[in-house]
Amino acid sequence: MPDSTPLNIPLIRHKLVSKSNNIKIIGLGDMHLGSSTTDYKLIKRIVDYCIKNRVHVIGQGDYCECANKTSPGSSIWTQAMGPDDQVDYAVKLFKRLHRSGLLLGCHPGNHEQRTHKSVGIDATKIITDRVGLGTQLITLSTKKYGIKCKHIGD
């Protein structure tokens, strides 16, 4: 398998080992941190569960609400926290997973991409850099399995 995509984007590779040959991986995304409807207790329970049960995590975008003037509806006016606090909260969650060796990588969702397109700030890159991942495109592979992730949004 090549070490980069045709666009010359480096791939993330992990060798996952389990004594029982049972490796668990979940996708964690669409948290919309900062939205007035975000369930912070549920998100914390998911992260705690992953750490306790050694479940690997792939960040699948829309970590932050990232609402701005180009966002649909009134979300820019109804956010429960500002963009800096949204990013800080995401970093706090993902650092716990990364320190536990469970965070395999992250990729942006349409909310982060919309913010990047409209104001030039890449929230996913800021989050992954601060967590210590430093890259966004994910490919996992072993001799038998490969996983590719993509966030599908508006």
Side-chain angles (χ1 to χ4, degrees):
M1 181 177 245
D3 289 332
S4 64
T5 68
L7 298 175
N8 215 15
I9 300 170
L11 300 178
I12 300 171
R13 292 179 184 265
H14 293 281
K15 183 174 183 178
L16 303 178
V17 179
S18 171
K19 293 178 185 176
S20 67
N21 288 328
N22 184 11
I23 296 171
K24 299 174 189 168
I25 303 173
I26 69 161
L28 180 59
D30 288 309
M31 297 183 290
H32 296 275
L33 301 170
S35 168
S36 59
T37 60
T38 299
D39 188 340
Y40 294 95
K41 288 180 182 177
L42 175 61
I43 294 167
K44 183 183 182 314
R45 281 189 11 235
I46 292 169
V47 171
D48 290 345
Y49 175 87
C50 291
I51 292 170
K52 180 180 178 184
N53 295 286
R54 302 295 302 158
V55 177
H56 293 83
V57 174
I58 297 172
Q60 293 191 288
D62 285 1
Y63 315 113
C64 303
E65 184 65 5
C66 291
N68 60 56
K69 291 180 181 181
T70 65
S71 301
S74 62
S75 58
I76 188 172
W77 312 115
T78 61
Q79 292 185 103
M81 66 173 75
D84 286 337
D85 293 332
Q86 294 172 30
V87 168
D88 289 345
Y89 201 99
V91 168
K92 180 180 168 184
L93 291 171
F94 285 131
K95 269 190 178 179
R96 289 186 60 212
L97 292 163
H98 186 56
R99 287 181 183 143
S100 299
L102 299 172
L103 183 61
L104 301 177
C106 297
H107 62 74
N110 60 301
H111 283 235
E112 290 88 10
Q113 289 172 332
R114 179 176 53 231
T115 300
H116 188 231
K117 183 178 178 182
S118 65
V119 297
I121 296 172
D122 186 342
T124 305
K125 182 177 184 328
I126 293 168
I127 292 166
T128 57
D129 285 349
R130 286 181 51 197
V131 167
L133 292 175
T135 191
Q136 298 167 35
L137 183 68
I138 298 172
T139 296
L140 303 171
S141 67
T142 66
K143 291 181 182 177
K144 297 181 182 178
Y145 303 100
I147 299 172
K148 292 186 180 184
C149 301
K150 180 179 180 182
H151 182 94
I152 300 173
D154 55 10

